[in-house]
Structures are given as C-alpha cells and as structure tokens.
Amino acid sequence: MIKVGIIGVGTVGTSVAQILKENADVISARAGVDIVVKSGVVKNLQKERGLDITLTDNVDDIINDEEIDIVVELMGGVEEPFEVVKRALKAGKSVVTANKALLAYHRYELQEIAKDKAFEFEASVAGGIPIITALRDGLSANHIESIVGIMNGTCNYMMTKMTNEGVAYDDILKESQELGYAEADPTFDVGGYDAAHKLLILASIAYGIDAKPEDILIEGIQNVTQDDISFAKEFGYAIKLLGIAKKDKNEVELRVHACLIKQEEMIAKIDGVMNGISVVGDKVGETLYYGPGAGGDATASAVVANIIDIARSGKSTPMLGFNRPMEGSQLTLKPTEKIRSKYYLRINVSDRAGVLAGLTKIFEQNDISIETMLQRPTENASANLLISTHTALEKDIQNMMNEIEQLNFVNAKPAMIRIV
C-alpha cells in the first residue's frame, strides 16, 4: 500500500483525496498497488471538508511520518513551499506538486535535491492537459522548434468575451471576478505572470534553459481595447495571451504577451477558459494539446496521474528531461531586445495636418516599415491610428514608441501588440 500526505487541502487537495477514494478500483488496477491518503495539512482545522482523513495544521506531522511515501504539495507561494519540499525530499519521500511559481524559481535546485527521489509536477502547467509528459517523454526524440500556448484560462475567457460580445475590459474583468475565474487582485493572471511561470517550466524541459521570470518579456492584456479587436478582425486576426518559446540557432526566445494571431491557426480557435499548447518538433512536426487548464478536478487528475506513475515505477524519468547537457549545442536565452516580430500599434493623435508626415518620419528614422494603417476618429478632435508593421527588431520598436510618446500631437502613451 502507498500512503499519501497532502500539504494544502484546499480545492485541488480535496479533489485529489476524493479521486483517490472514488476511483480507487481503476487507480489500484493501473498502479498495481492500493493508494490511500493518510493525512492532510490545513490552515483552518475548524473548516469542514467532508473527507475521512486525518487533518493537522502542522507540516511536521506529514514530513516526519515514516508511513507516508508520497507528499503532495499544494500550498501555493514560493519560498515556504520550497523549504517544505526540500525537507520532504531529504526525508526520503517522493513529491508531487502543482506549484508553478515554486518551479519557476527553484526547479533546478529541486532537481539537484531530488536526485534519486521521484519529483513530479504535471499539474503545474495547463491543469488537466498532460503537456509535461508529452514534452518530456513523448517528444524526447525531437529538437523542439517552438512552443506556443494559451496557458491562462482567465485571460482566454476575457479575450473571448471581448471579441465575441464586444465587452469592455473593465466589465469583463469584473464578471470574471464574480465567476471566480479572476482573483480580487487579478494581476498575476491578467499581467501574464501565471503564464510566464508555466512557460519557464516547459522551456526547461524543451531546451534546458534555466531562466527566471525576471529574465524574460512578460506583458498582459490590460491595455487591449475594442479598437484593437476591431483591427484584428478586419485583417483576419484574433487576439490571445500567448506564451511563446522559439529556438533560433543556439538561442531561445521566451516571451508572454498579447498577440495578434491569424484566425485560421488552430490555437486561435481555442476559446473560453480552455488552454491549448502547440509544440513543433523537428521530426514530428506540429502537435496540439487542448483541455481544461484549471479547476479542482482537472488539476487533481494530473496530480493523481503523477502519484500513479510513482507507485508504478518510482523514479524513472529525469525531472526536467535531461540526464546530461547536450554536447556542442548548449542553448542560451535570447535577449529581449533581439526578438524580431511584426507589430501592431495604436496611437492616439490630434486630428490635424502634418500628423501623418511627422509619424512617418519617425518610423523611417527607426528603420521600421508600415504594412497597413487605419484611422478611427475619437472624441475631442483626435483619432486613433491603427498601424501594423513589417518584421522589426524589438529594440527599434521600443525606441520608436518612446520617441512617438514625446511628440506634441500624440495624446497618450502608444499601445503595442506583437503579431505572430
């Protein structure tokens, strides 16, 4: 019998315990051994959870329990769970976590500490989609050319409603909070940080890149307006928050931001709270993974799958997919300023003579070529210029935007969305 201890018996932790009990027949048949939850750690012992397991508010009760074989960490946060997981591994226990923030900052340290212990984390990226198993095991024969994914259901739900129903950003954010998709402080989701943590985990498995959130480009959807969505529709695009990893020779670019993506692309068709991730391998070509990215049962399903894997075979796969560095082809992180893309710009200007000539001169000075331009009148004798560019360098676009913001006929900070 395998005994499990859950640290953090909230929504996901409760679902883990329930799945292990309700689906015990198929789980034990697949694992080859019975798996039961012995105990769980909670902050509030008075809260009723409807579980017939021992509950405690002391992490030591699980870490020091010699009968517990697998510790499931579902605390949330970074540094506190890092210390807890280290202690569990050093106590000889296998660990399963859904904590993407923990892994975004400490995955390589944990890989070193785990060594011959099992450490699994399928639920940390895209909830119920088995993307980590697919990338680490199923596609292990491939050089990964790119990963492009919708990795945050809250943002995808908001962008879907803004696109399909014309809802303003502030209104759909409020609705998302009322539905429980967005937190009271939504910055982690709408600011792109949640997706960035997930992208960093996938990039380590695909490329062996040890980057932190502070090292990569992270932007959210807070500045997307109906003008931007209208432009996107007119030119055959959808707007999505994407996590992008792309190999270019011996460099890998990592970025999270709102994107204009062609409507015929499969990933552009993924709507609502669902997640979808496209992976391109040099031998297999493109594979697409779709499913629920969050929720108690979906995330718990991935946690339980990891528990079954450990029960079957213990440690059988390197945590991040590499037993040793790739000889002669070590990949490095591409600096943000070297990223190349097409760009969409929204610039609010005074509606008077000479404006277009002044802007065109700034574009030319920064070696940026305009592909399309639309003008949308706004209030107070002003207009929004909606512009798409040919491929340009990130550094040049940022320099140009700073220059444009200083022009006396520009009324607000220009907005920019990259085109993929």
Side-chain angles (χ1 to χ4, degrees):
M1 178 179 290
I2 298 287
K3 293 186 178 180
V4 176
I6 303 174
I7 302 178
V9 188
T11 301
V12 176
T14 298
S15 291
V16 168
Q18 290 171 336
I19 290 172
L20 284 169
K21 181 178 180 179
E22 294 169 4
N23 288 5
D25 54 349
V26 68
I27 288 171
S28 61
R30 286 176 171 158
V33 64
D34 292 338
I35 303 173
V36 299
V37 178
K38 181 181 180 184
S39 56
V41 176
V42 297
K43 290 183 178 179
N44 180 7
L45 286 170
Q46 307 307 313
K47 182 178 178 180
E48 178 57 43
R49 288 170 171 79
L51 300 173
D52 57 353
I53 63 173
T54 300
L55 295 178
T56 175
D57 58 4
N58 189 344
V59 170
D60 291 344
D61 292 340
I62 285 183
I63 292 178
N64 297 332
D65 188 337
E66 294 183 358
E67 290 189 351
I68 289 178
D69 305 289
I70 301 173
V71 172
V72 176
E73 183 277 309
L74 300 170
M75 302 169 63
V78 178
E79 297 307 325
E80 184 181 2
F82 179 47
E83 295 302 320
V84 168
V85 169
K86 282 196 298 183
R87 290 180 58 205
L89 290 168
K90 289 176 180 178
K93 304 189 186 301
S94 299
V95 173
V96 176
T97 184
N99 191 333
K100 53 195 168 285
L102 166 67
L103 294 168
Y105 283 97
H106 294 300
R107 59 197 180 281
Y108 282 93
E109 295 158 271
L110 289 170
Q111 178 176 245
E112 181 63 25
I113 294 165
K115 291 184 178 176
D116 59 346
K117 306 293 186 302
F119 187 104
E120 297 293 344
F121 50 99
E122 182 66 68
S124 65
V125 180
I129 305 173
I131 183 61
I132 287 172
T133 299
L135 193 59
R136 188 176 62 183
D137 301 327
L139 299 176
S140 57
N142 288 255
H143 288 285
I144 303 301
E145 302 295 338
S146 66
I147 301 169
V148 178
I150 295 170
M151 303 181 195
N152 184 274
T154 299
C155 288
N156 204 44
Y157 173 80
M158 292 174 63
M159 289 309 311
T160 299
K161 296 280 278 191
M162 289 175 69
T163 299
N164 294 345
E165 301 179 21
V167 184
Y169 173 85
D170 290 340
D171 293 334
I172 192 56
L173 175 58
K174 182 179 178 182
E175 179 185 317
S176 299
Q177 290 170 322
E178 291 170 350
L179 291 171
Y181 295 147
E183 301 291 338
D185 179 0
T187 306
F188 192 66
D189 287 318
V190 300
Y193 301 102
D194 172 77
H197 291 170
K198 297 169 184 175
L199 181 69
L200 288 168
I201 295 167
L202 297 183
S204 288
I205 297 170
Y207 306 111
I209 292 287
D210 183 8
K212 301 291 191 291
E214 293 78 13
D215 301 328
I216 70 171
L217 172 62
I218 304 174
E219 295 176 2
I221 63 169
Q222 303 98 317
N223 296 323
V224 178
T225 70
Q226 285 299 325
D227 276 330
D228 305 328
I229 291 170
S230 175
F231 177 93
K233 287 180 177 179
E234 186 161 346
F235 289 93
Y237 292 102
I239 300 179
K240 300 286 186 182
L241 181 79
L242 297 181
I244 298 171
K246 188 182 299 183
K247 187 173 73 168
D248 180 14
K249 297 179 182 176
N250 284 335
E251 290 185 317
V252 176
E253 60 184 65
L254 298 177
R255 46 194 172 110
V256 173
H257 49 73
C259 297
L260 274 76
I261 182 168
K262 281 292 185 182
Q263 291 175 357
E264 59 264 26
E265 296 288 337
M266 287 298 296
I267 205 160
K269 304 178 190 299
I270 296 172
D271 286 340
V273 296
M274 305 303 279
N275 282 195
I277 300 174
S278 164
V279 181
V280 177
D282 66 336
K283 300 305 179 185
V284 73
E286 182 179 22
T287 56
L288 184 68
Y289 306 86
Y290 169 84
D297 284 349
T299 304
S301 172
V303 170
V304 173
N306 279 161
I307 293 172
I308 294 170
D309 287 341
I310 294 170
R312 281 170 170 166
S313 57
K315 179 179 173 61
S316 59
T317 303
M319 176 184 156
L320 295 171
F322 289 88
N323 273 309
R324 64 185 185 188
M326 291 183 289
E327 295 181 7
S329 58
Q330 193 69 27
L331 299 172
T332 58
L333 183 66
K334 177 181 283 190
T336 297
E337 61 269 18
K338 289 176 60 179
I339 290 171
R340 299 187 68 85
S341 178
K342 292 184 175 183
Y343 296 84
Y344 156 83
L345 305 176
R346 171 170 36 86
I347 308 170
N348 186 262
V349 297
S350 300
D351 193 2
R352 56 184 171 84
V355 166
L356 287 180
L359 276 178
T360 301
K361 183 178 180 181
I362 297 291
F363 272 78
E364 184 179 352
Q365 289 172 346
N366 286 277
D367 195 28
I368 294 169
S369 174
I370 294 173
E371 184 171 6
T372 59
M373 180 184 294
L374 296 177
Q375 182 171 325
R376 296 279 192 261
T378 59
E379 298 177 353
N380 302 320
S382 64
N384 278 332
L385 297 181
L386 311 177
I387 300 168
S388 67
T389 75
H390 292 284
T391 301
L393 197 61
E394 179 78 17
K395 180 181 69 174
D396 293 338
I397 283 286
Q398 296 294 348
N399 287 340
M400 185 185 72
M401 288 181 66
N402 289 334
E403 291 179 25
I404 288 174
E405 189 176 358
Q406 307 306 315
L407 296 172
N408 60 14
F409 52 77
V410 173
N411 303 318
K413 183 179 178 67
M416 177 266 285
I417 303 176
R418 296 165 190 86
I419 302 173
V420 299

